[in-house]
Amino acid sequence: MKQLKTELVSQKEIAASIYEAVVFHKEIDESFQPGQFVHVKTGFGSDPLLRRPISICHVDPNQHELTMIYRAEGKGTKVLAEMVPGVEVDLLGPLGNGFPIERTMEGETALLVGGGIGVPPLYYLSQELTKRGVKVKHVHGFQTSSVVFYEEKFKAYGPVTITTADGTYGEEGFVTNQIDMNADYLFACGPSPMLKALENYRAKKGVYLSLEQRMGCGIGACLACVCHVQGDETGFAYRKVCSDGPVFQAGEVVL
Amino acid sequence: MSRLRVELPGLDLKNPIMPASGCFGFGKEYSQFYSLDQLGAIMVKATTHEPRFGNPTPRVAETTSGMLNAIGLQNPGLERVMTEELPWLSNYNVPIIANVAGSTIEDYVAVAERISTAENVHALELNISCPNVKEGGLAFGTVPETAFEVTKAVKDVSSVPVYVKLSPNVTDIVQMAKVVERAGADGLTMINTLLGMRIDLKSGKPILANGAGGLSGPAIKPVAIRMIHQVSQQVNIPIIGMGGVQSAEDVIEYFLAGASAVAVGTANFVDPFTCPSIIDALPALLDELGVHHISELTGRSWKKSWDLQSSSH
């Protein structure tokens, strides 16, 4: 992990309150893996104070560019949304442990399931799995049509099923109604009710879930983002979402 | 002698800058960014006799120029701190200040007695001010009689000097400081976090699972400065100041208020390099202020000019 003073290359609103920001730094390279995140300082003073954890949506190691997609909802992300190309964006990264793509093999299949702002890290994952010869399918759930994004981009790697809770786009309902259980792997990122529902699904070779939690330091020191370990009778065992996760095998931690 | 070197009871500090307890774990994470040798000392995460998981999440919430936390003293317990965390830290040439917490006086005594024997533990920080645990913690730090009792009991068994960490959540901080000084405290660390709360507009409920939490960060610095200014004039033991320190300028302000060393807490989360950056920036700032040694600044905001003259000779 490093502290990088990156340059904001571009930023645009790609759906309602959903922003895509691209940053450049010469040390952005293939060490940034799908499922990892960056901890971003938004603004320049002490308000907002803490960094914001944002998943890595894409990395171009040749151009040394990193793409992140976030929802401008709280104070920090709203400040970030106002930053213009050319400004410095201070980030720590790559942080955490991503999806175990090294376990996958050519010819295997993977189902990628994303919910809302949990969709972005699956884009980089989909690209890297495809490179390895893994066949990917996507199921992405959103609240409503105005917040749907990246449908065409994902289609470049495999079929995409979109669900919206209000039925204004794609299939009405939730991603859990659209799960095809024949895949070797299931990789998911989204809100915890969605992850809880997916936890009980079984894929032949593994189900991996990326968790979200409020964080302090982002590197494992402050113990803000801990979760219990499933089956631990002592009650003292824990995992840190920031540094042990954010991706865990289903069944490892209590969601 | 280095112009940043500071000597305090039990502590020969190459500089007066140290990460504050709870904001630095046991050092491993930050050692990925810089060598811990650079630090004046390290105040490690509070240690209790038995392991603690701490509070449910969410445990942190941001406030204007600050943050609320309710971690709940999560730590691996005395045994593991003695056998794993402290030995790992002994790879570095840096004195450790061990933060001691508990639910009963017996807990405090048991932890203090053993942890003070670790070779790299040069002082204890008695945590009678954690706002996030149901028993102990703050309960010891807001009642003068119990603060006296626990300080004295720990002093009796500790092999190293004892600094008492004061809570700002009291009516009369000077009284608390005097009480623990009388109980034998070798120094004070102040301030711990201020009790606070944030409420989520959508749910209508507190954001922190614990409800209330401890406020830290730049928002609390003026409170700490005022308290150190008051206390340092009324006690004869040194103060390690903390609360919202982000820069070398903040450190100087703490010294002027009456601190003899300064700890950095929340700022580590914002910029992991805060401590080494402050250490690097201090000499030039001392030049600018026309000060040779940083200790000359301690209490300058209230010392009379003849005090200053005599202390510089």
Side-chain angles (χ1 to χ4, degrees), chain A residues 7-14 17-23 40 42 54 66-72 76-87 89:
Chain A
E7 181 191 336
L8 184 61
V9 176
S10 67
Q11 166 141 271
K12 61 182 178 219
E13 190 175 8
I14 56 170
S17 295
I18 307 289
Y19 288 80
E20 177 197 65
V22 179
V23 297
V40 184
T42 64
I54 299 178
L66 180 150
T67 303
M68 47 191 172
I69 291 179
Y70 61 93
R71 182 168 54 217
T77 43
K78 280 181 180 160
V79 168
L80 184 58
E82 284 167 15
M83 295 173 101
V84 293
V87 302
V89 179

Side-chain angles (χ1 to χ4, degrees), chain A residues 1 3 49 51-52 223, chain B residues 32 51 59 62 74 270 273:
Chain A
M1 90 185 71
Q3 181 182 30
L49 182 66
R51 290 168 182 268
R52 299 299 192 269
L223 304 179
Chain B
Q32 300 170 82
R59 293 176 168 187
E62 181 156 322
Q74 179 165 8
V270 180
F273 292 98

Side-chain angles (χ1 to χ4, degrees), chain A residues 50-251:
Chain A
L50 298 173
R51 290 168 182 268
R52 299 299 192 269
I54 299 178
S55 64
I56 297 169
C57 173
H58 188 249
V59 167
D60 182 339
N62 300 316
Q63 298 295 319
H64 306 294
E65 287 181 350
L66 180 150
T67 303
M68 47 191 172
I69 291 179
Y70 61 93
R71 182 168 54 217
E73 192 176 29
K75 185 157 66 178
T77 43
K78 280 181 180 160
V79 168
L80 184 58
E82 284 167 15
M83 295 173 101
V84 293
V87 302
E88 180 185 286
V89 179
D90 173 350
L91 55 85
L92 300 181
L95 300 179
N97 295 296
F99 292 101
I101 47 174
E102 68 289 346
R103 292 193 189 170
T104 62
M105 300 206 296
E106 191 174 347
E108 290 184 328
T109 56
L111 180 66
L112 278 53
V113 183
I117 206 62
V119 167
L122 303 178
Y123 181 63
Y124 190 22
L125 176 65
S126 191
Q127 175 193 295
E128 293 304 298
L129 289 172
T130 303
K131 268 192 202 165
R132 292 174 69 87
V134 176
K135 291 192 182 66
V136 293
K137 283 186 187 174
H138 315 91
V139 180
H140 296 163
F142 299 93
Q143 277 302 318
T144 186
S145 62
S146 65
V147 292
V148 175
F149 59 89
Y150 263 42
E151 183 182 7
E152 292 305 315
K153 289 204 163 226
F154 276 96
K155 275 186 181 163
Y157 301 122
V160 179
T161 303
I162 303 279
T163 69
T164 49
D166 64 1
T168 51
Y169 193 90
E171 307 290 329
E172 180 170 354
F174 299 103
V175 292
T176 40
N177 303 329
Q178 307 292 332
I179 306 293
D180 161 17
M181 282 319 303
N182 291 316
D184 292 313
Y185 292 93
L186 194 160
F187 298 118
C189 182
S192 34
M194 184 193 102
L195 298 182
K196 269 186 191 161
L198 294 174
E199 191 179 21
N200 298 315
Y201 282 81
R202 291 283 170 267
K204 288 172 205 146
K205 298 191 172 167
V207 175
Y208 293 87
L209 309 173
S210 180
L211 275 58
E212 191 184 49
Q213 183 56 267
R214 281 174 183 265
M215 291 180 189
C217 67
I219 61 171
C222 76
L223 304 179
C225 65
V226 298
C227 47
H228 284 284
V229 175
Q230 284 198 17
D232 163 51
E233 287 171 11
T234 68
F236 297 119
Y238 65 92
R239 298 285 184 274
K240 305 171 198 173
V241 173
C242 68
S243 58
D244 296 319
V247 177
F248 295 98
Q249 186 155 20

